[in-house]
Amino acid sequence: MAGGVGSHCGGFHPPTNSDGTYLQFTAQFTVTFFAATATENQLHSAVSVLLSHALRPGAYFFHVPNDAKRSYATAARLKQMGMRAGHPDLTILFAGRAYLIELKSARGRVTDAQTRAHALIADAGCPVAVCRSVEQVHEQIRDWGLI
């Protein structure tokens, strides 16, 4: 994916208000994104740009890189330190609550470990959602009152 924060690449346009005007961000941006063919990495990058500009002041988000390839020794050490299989990709913190998002490409599937983790997180009282596009993430964070 070309560009990044502050770039104008065409394709995906920032979400609009109900009257068709663009939401107000701290910087102008447009991200190239084609939902039907985007890889999960491209989706992550586009969502990161959206969250960087759209979240309410005071909200903080981060990615948990559980999917990175590691040696057996490193994986064992990280598991010993508390890394949990199936933890969602993104965590958003706001006003004393955690909101979690699992990102999947159009063809990606939720694993059994992710299904179990999402249920445990929901049981702990934190909302968790699976999103397959930037638009779905925008809708979800709007529904959660984060923008």
Side-chain angles (χ1 to χ4, degrees), residues 76-110:
R77 181 176 52 81
L78 291 172
K79 184 175 180 180
Q80 190 176 34
M81 294 171 63
M83 184 173 274
R84 306 281 300 266
H87 187 81
D89 297 310
L90 295 167
T91 301
I92 304 168
L93 304 175
F94 182 71
R97 284 199 76 189
Y99 303 83
L100 297 101
I101 298 174
E102 179 67 42
L103 295 174
K104 290 291 177 191
S105 66
R107 290 186 213 111
R109 68 174 196 83
V110 176

Side-chain angles (χ1 to χ4, degrees), residues 16-74:
T16 58
N17 294 305
S18 59
D19 65 358
T21 60
Y22 287 116
L23 294 174
Q24 296 299 309
F25 297 115
T26 57
Q28 294 286 335
F29 78 98
T30 306
V31 178
T32 299
F33 183 73
F34 302 99
T37 60
T39 66
E40 203 166 305
N41 286 339
Q42 289 171 322
L43 176 59
H44 275 260
S45 295
V47 167
S48 180
V49 171
L50 171 72
L51 295 178
S52 294
H53 292 284
L55 288 173
R56 293 173 63 175
Y60 178 81
F61 79 97
F62 58 93
H63 168 67
V64 177
N66 276 5
D67 61 340
K69 302 300 178 211
R70 301 174 175 87
S71 69
Y72 177 79
T74 299

